[in-house]
Amino acid sequence: MGNTKSSGIKDSMKSTLKGNTMMFILVGVMILFEVLIRISGHGSLFAPQNITNIIRQNAYVAILATGMLCCILTGGNIDLSVGSVVALVGALAGVFIVNMGLPVWAAIILCLLIGTGIGAFHGFFIAYIHIPPFITTLAGMLLWRGVATIILDGKPISPFPQKFLVLFESFLPSSEAAKEKFGEMVLLGGWVDKYTMIVTLAITVIAVFLYILLEIVSRAKKIKKNYTVSSKGAFILKLVVLSIVIVILGQFLARDRGIPVILILLGLIVVAYSYFTQNTVPGRYLYAIGGNEKAARLSGVNTNNVMFFAYTNMGFISAVAALVTVARLNSAQPTAGTNYEMDAIASCFIGGASAYGGTGKVSGAVIGAIFMGVLNNGMSILGVDANWQRAVKGLVLLAAVIFDIVSKNKKGKKN
């Protein structure tokens, strides 16, 4: 009986480790950087303000990675134009909001529609004219960067109005709300920090509760439909580990300025795309095409429409990332978005997406984006030269792809 229990615990541990390998590697890398930064006397990676900065500075990567994953799932296809689309949509946002004085909501809608239209433009040639995605999006990368530079005439547009910036660069709870709640004199006595901490921790607890509830409901539905699920022990261990991660993140944010609004937007995008890819028929079509496009077509899947959707969606996501970028920089610049496509692609592969398509999760892509952000932040704090930073990121990406190919070859031999 005792042996059965111990073997069950071991299996649960193995299953949890296998399913969250990248998460544990990320934690290990963060601890390594923390040790190196402490030894070098450059402060701490885990300083609350630094954690907030990692989130704010890398939110665009995680957002782009969710859309890029949909393209990669279709067979390892990528979109090289996203950085240029970010520059173009950001330039248009500057023209609409700063130069023309359009209402913020109208300008945002226009930018999202234009980004989606650019994605549909790419999708049309890829899905229906059957031009390879690499060529189509490479052309788009050159075209849209040129148009962005023409629109801006090589000069940045700034500053953006506070009504726009507050949508992406503010924090919850805000200091303005605290002032209304407690008054100016009370804030001077240090109550603003306590107010921020209490509200942030309360939101964190609610987030943990909702996460556990959604996971339990999702598992129950899968069991009801006779889907294969992890063991109860592995499931509970996963809930505990990820809940602890959320609580730790929450306390870091509580000790700084609260929860960045951009983190809430990112959370909504991750939840929406995770549900779409894992629990809807159109989402599963992405995996089906990546697994075997010919078989998917013979099964009645309109593969052209699925490809068109993947690249149209990438345009929409690029527009969202553009709005986030110009808000963070408080400026629309012709050089904005440079190498963004590389960061998004690397995040997906590092997060477990297959170079051949058909495999990968949104959560993995986001973890990959955080990994890239920690690498950038940690090496910058240590004063590592920018060229060496690029070299390290290149090696990490190569290692991730090699791991994917070796794993696939091993599975192929076993089968």
Side-chain angles (χ1 to χ4, degrees):
M1 189 76 170
N3 290 335
T4 306
K5 280 187 178 180
S6 62
S7 65
I9 294 169
K10 283 181 181 178
D11 289 342
S12 298
M13 290 286 286
K14 282 182 181 178
S15 178
T16 304
L17 285 169
K18 192 177 276 188
N20 299 278
T21 304
M22 200 58 221
M23 175 72 79
F24 291 111
I25 292 173
L26 173 61
V27 172
V29 169
M30 292 181 78
I31 293 171
L32 175 63
F33 271 122
E34 175 66 8
V35 172
L36 293 174
I37 290 168
R38 290 274 187 180
I39 291 172
S40 64
H42 287 96
S44 171
L45 181 73
F46 294 115
Q49 188 174 3
N50 194 49
I51 296 297
T52 301
N53 288 339
I54 289 174
I55 293 170
R56 292 174 60 223
Q57 291 169 6
N58 295 281
Y60 76 88
V61 183
I63 291 169
L64 288 172
T66 59
M68 190 67 72
L69 179 68
C70 294
C71 298
I72 291 172
L73 287 175
T74 60
N77 300 306
I78 56 175
D79 189 334
L80 294 174
S81 70
V82 296
S84 298
V85 176
V86 166
L88 174 58
V89 174
L92 292 172
V95 171
F96 294 151
I97 298 172
V98 180
N99 292 356
M100 297 175 62
L102 289 180
V104 169
W105 63 268
I108 289 174
I109 291 172
L110 273 174
C111 287
L112 293 177
L113 288 174
I114 290 168
T116 305
I118 291 171
F121 177 80
H122 294 157
F124 172 77
F125 289 105
I126 292 166
Y128 303 115
I129 308 299
H130 301 294
I131 299 174
F134 183 89
I135 300 300
T136 302
T137 58
L138 178 62
M141 180 176 74
L142 300 172
L143 170 62
W144 308 125
R145 178 69 64 181
V147 174
T149 306
I150 291 167
I151 290 173
L152 292 174
D153 195 24
K155 302 169 187 174
I157 296 176
S158 64
F160 280 75
Q162 192 61 30
K163 284 183 181 179
F164 174 75
L165 298 179
V166 76
L167 295 175
F168 303 99
E169 283 295 296
S170 57
F171 293 83
L172 291 177
S174 66
S175 56
E176 288 76 15
K179 282 181 184 179
E180 291 179 10
K181 187 83 174 174
F182 297 112
E184 190 71 37
M185 292 306 294
V186 179
L187 290 180
L188 294 174
W191 277 95
V192 65
D193 295 330
K194 293 178 182 177
Y195 173 74
T196 299
M197 182 168 284
I198 291 168
V199 175
T200 303
L201 290 176
I203 294 172
T204 302
V205 171
I206 293 169
V208 170
F209 173 76
L210 288 174
Y211 163 70
I212 293 172
L213 183 64
L214 289 172
E215 285 292 320
I216 291 172
V217 170
S218 176
R219 179 182 169 84
K221 284 182 178 178
K222 287 178 180 176
I223 292 172
K224 192 176 180 181
K225 294 177 180 178
N226 294 320
Y227 290 170
T228 303
V229 295
S230 58
S231 66
K232 186 181 279 189
F235 176 69
I236 293 171
L237 192 58
K238 175 190 169 186
L239 290 183
V240 171
V241 170
L242 293 182
S243 295
I244 290 172
V245 170
I246 295 171
V247 170
I248 291 172
L249 175 61
Q251 67 86 26
F252 278 127
L253 298 178
R255 287 159 52 200
D256 187 29
R257 286 161 286 176
I259 300 173
V261 170
I262 188 60
L263 181 61
I264 296 172
L265 172 63
L266 177 58
L268 292 173
I269 290 172
V270 170
V271 169
Y273 278 84
S274 293
Y275 181 84
F276 172 77
T277 54
Q278 297 295 318
N279 298 285
T280 67
V281 174
R284 300 311 296 178
Y285 284 166
L286 295 169
Y287 289 91
I289 292 175
N292 190 323
E293 184 176 356
K294 188 176 180 181
R297 193 184 301 115
L298 292 172
S299 299
V301 177
N302 190 323
T303 55
N304 290 343
N305 287 352
V306 175
M307 289 293 288
F308 178 77
F309 163 78
Y311 282 89
T312 301
N313 174 71
M314 189 70 250
F316 169 77
I317 286 293
S318 298
V320 174
L323 296 172
V324 170
T325 299
V326 295
R328 182 172 64 85
L329 300 174
N330 195 13
S331 172
Q333 301 179 6
T335 56
T338 303
N339 290 330
Y340 278 19
E341 60 278 352
M342 300 307 171
D343 289 336
I345 293 165
S347 298
C348 291
F349 289 136
I350 290 170
S354 172
Y356 302 107
T359 303
K361 287 185 177 181
V362 171
S363 57
V366 172
I367 291 171
I370 297 169
F371 187 89
M372 294 289 287
V374 169
L375 275 182
N376 288 332
N377 188 267
M379 288 191 290
S380 296
I381 293 174
L382 289 170
V384 177
D385 183 76
N387 295 317
W388 278 107
Q389 289 187 34
R390 292 191 194 97
V392 170
K393 287 192 286 186
L395 287 172
V396 169
L397 175 58
L398 181 62
V401 176
I402 289 171
F403 178 79
D404 169 56
I405 291 171
V406 170
S407 298
K408 275 194 175 289
N409 289 340
K410 281 184 179 179
K411 284 180 182 177
K413 285 178 182 178
K414 284 181 181 178
N415 295 333

